[in-house]
Amino acid sequence: AGRLEESRAALEELLGLLPEEAAGLRGRVAAFVAVVDHLLGRHGDARALLERTLSKLPAGGVEAASVMIELASDRFFVGDWEAMRDWAAGAWELAQETDDPGLRPLAAAVLALAEYSVGGVDEAVPLMAEAAELVDRDEARVRLDAFDFLGWCELSMERYEEAVAHFDRGLALGRATGQGHLLMTMSFGAMFGLVWLGRLAE
């Protein structure tokens, strides 16, 4: 609903109420705290919470991978590309061991963008292709941020048609499911892609 400060406060309250042994649920809540912090422009603020939460999670699983993805995202926003790649690589490794259909394309897209950001274009290309294949195959169960990261990776790699298509599908899915928190960043991505394609009226 765009009420980010209220969302952040509610999540903080929830973390205070959850017992330490509810590590999986705490991991999911902490990961979303980071999402809200990024939307508020407070990049880096959730890092300590994420690292503390990760240290208490089991070594594998969806929750640990999700927290690693948010740590990679946190490093992306502050321009720490090497750390972004390290966290993204850990999330990608864990994602391949789970049966969560939404996690693997997201992890592949985040790692692809991280590899590109450190100059690893050869490493980024197959990861980007895998993320696109997974997103295209099972769109209904893909996490919305997979469209966002994949689109920005494709945009960075000059795959403008593919980027615009994935941003558009992410925007449609976000609107259809009432998830508005990524509509602005995907709208900007689609706009940049259209500009590079010369489709200025659009």
Side-chain angles (χ1 to χ4, degrees):
R3 297 170 61 179
L4 301 177
E5 293 288 359
E6 294 93 329
S7 173
R8 183 66 162 77
L11 292 167
E12 285 280 7
E13 183 178 358
L14 177 56
L15 281 174
L17 294 171
L18 289 172
E20 289 295 326
E21 57 268 23
L25 182 54
R26 292 183 66 85
R28 291 195 293 277
V29 175
F32 201 71
V33 167
V35 171
V36 176
D37 277 340
H38 294 151
L39 294 170
L40 288 166
R42 299 171 185 166
H43 311 306
D45 281 10
R47 182 181 180 186
L49 171 63
L50 290 168
E51 290 179 341
R52 186 168 63 251
T53 301
L54 183 62
S55 71
K56 297 177 181 179
L57 287 172
V62 174
E63 289 81 10
S66 296
V67 171
M68 287 182 177
I69 285 170
E70 292 308 324
L71 281 161
S73 180
D74 177 79
R75 296 296 87 196
F76 169 77
F77 283 113
V78 298
D80 186 354
W81 315 123
E82 295 286 349
M84 179 190 179
R85 181 178 60 178
D86 291 345
W87 286 118
W92 170 240
E93 184 177 338
L94 292 183
Q96 296 181 83
E97 300 170 0
T98 75
D99 57 0
D100 187 312
L103 183 62
R104 188 167 176 177
L106 173 59
V110 173
L111 183 54
L113 184 56
E115 291 288 4
Y116 168 82
S117 298
V118 296
V121 174
D122 290 342
E123 292 77 13
V125 169
L127 287 161
M128 182 176 63
E130 178 157 1
E133 179 186 350
L134 292 168
V135 163
D136 295 343
R137 183 195 309 164
D138 197 7
E139 179 178 307
R141 295 195 292 174
V142 171
R143 284 177 45 169
L144 191 62
D145 39 359
F147 289 94
D148 192 31
F149 273 104
L150 176 58
W152 282 102
C153 185
E154 290 170 329
L155 198 64
S156 300
M157 300 277 279
E158 302 179 14
R159 308 288 180 88
Y160 302 125
E161 293 280 3
E162 294 92 334
V164 170
H166 284 123
F167 282 131
D168 283 348
R169 286 164 55 197
L171 287 165
L173 182 63
R175 292 186 179 107
T177 57
Q179 299 179 75
H181 62 290
L182 293 176
L183 297 185
M184 185 61 70
T185 179
M186 289 193 290
S187 294
F188 272 111
M191 178 196 69
F192 287 127
L194 291 168
V195 168
W196 280 108
L197 288 167
R199 293 156 60 181
L200 302 184
E202 292 178 70

